[in-house]
Amino acid sequence: MMRIDAPWLRGPSRCILTMLSDADFQAWYVGGCVRNALLGTSASDLDVTTDALPEQVIALAEAAGLKAIPTGIDHGTVTIVVEGETFEVTTFRRDVATDGRRAVVAFSDTIKDDARRRDFTVNALYCDVDGLVADPLGGLPDLETGQIRFIDDPVQRIQEDYLRIMRFFRFTAWYGGDGIDPEGLAACGAHVDGLDGLSAERVTSELLKLLAAPDPAPAVAAMDHSGVLMRVLPGAAPDVLTVLVHLEQDQNLPPDPMRRLVALGGDFGRLRLSKVQQRRIDQIRSDVPQLEQANRYGFEIARDRYLIENASLTQAISAEKLNRLEWAAKQILPVRAADFMPEKSGAALGETLRDAQDRWIASGFTLTREDLLG
């Protein structure tokens, strides 16, 4: 039997599994935390599943002096607070009916039922309080070979929740090997219409998580081949992303989903971006001279534009050009608003200061304070 050893097995959540096991219930960690532990990476969330019914989980938690919150009790989920941390405990479930976004579920007492309603075999992995791994659907071999496969019938899994189309490519980008599951890819391509019924927030979140992978280019190319990319990001250019990833690696830059999104290009109307994200996109896409861009918006913005432009032209990066951009970003306007007061105030003051900045930038940052005040 395989056993994992992860720091979270000795953390606050341990008391929840012990509490359930002592009451003769099954209790397992499930999903991403187990998968990542097997891959030797950290876990962002710890999810617990059990055959105990929600009301039984609440009663046990309260008897143990723990706070229990019925956050999703209709779907079997109870949130338990331990030492200030929150953990979701969900009763084994099986799907009764689905509409592509939400499911009607029934509680179950078998781990296999619970496993079959999950999306991919690599996410249907469990471990007990001591790290002993349970693999009811054969996910371990897939994890070892980097094969992202839907559980049972790919079409049925997708029709249960069309967001799984996006998740298929995201998990392929993060955990996939050299190839991509042909049945899964075909099912995604045949059901792209289902993406139209999803919220822009959910689609955007999955796309940005995909683009945060070390090298998302092969998965994005598969999205393009299947027709999914055109549905999510019409007019995108996956070839530019492939070159950009290589340039990032040459420059030892960490993955940046927003930089990569701009490189893909296309119509962002299907996405829901925050004001901060949209502002960054607008700044990178700015058509002002690059030295001016570096000074106005910072070195990172100008560098990203330079990387993207060179990726589109398949050109190498010049260290001299990067140094020049960094120098421009550090130049400081030699006048302040106070230098024009009290003669100027309000809107007139702002306009005067902007004019001074424009003249200073146009001079290549050479105009002095006296030049600008003269």
Side-chain angles (χ1 to χ4, degrees), residues 83-95:
E83 298 179 17
E85 296 187 43
T86 59
F87 304 95
E88 289 190 350
V89 180
T90 303
T91 302
F92 291 163
R93 299 173 295 178
R94 57 183 176 83
D95 288 335

Side-chain angles (χ1 to χ4, degrees), residues 16-30 47-58 60 75-78 80 88-94 106-115 117-118 126-127:
I16 298 174
L17 278 79
T18 301
M19 171 191 78
L20 292 164
S21 299
D22 287 348
D24 294 326
F25 291 110
Q26 296 184 57
W28 305 89
Y29 293 103
V30 62
D47 293 322
V48 177
T49 189
T50 178
D51 59 344
L53 296 174
E55 55 268 26
Q56 293 171 318
V57 173
I58 292 173
L60 287 170
H75 287 80
T77 300
V78 176
I80 297 180
E88 289 190 350
V89 180
T90 303
T91 302
F92 291 163
R93 299 173 295 178
R94 57 183 176 83
F107 299 135
S108 173
D109 58 2
T110 69
I111 192 174
K112 201 157 190 176
D113 276 348
D114 187 75
R117 70 174 305 275
R118 298 181 182 274
Y126 301 71
C127 80

Side-chain angles (χ1 to χ4, degrees), residues 1-5 38 128 130-133:
M1 300 293 287
M2 183 172 291
R3 191 182 299 272
I4 62 174
D5 181 21
L38 288 164
D128 66 12
D130 296 318
L132 189 65
V133 175

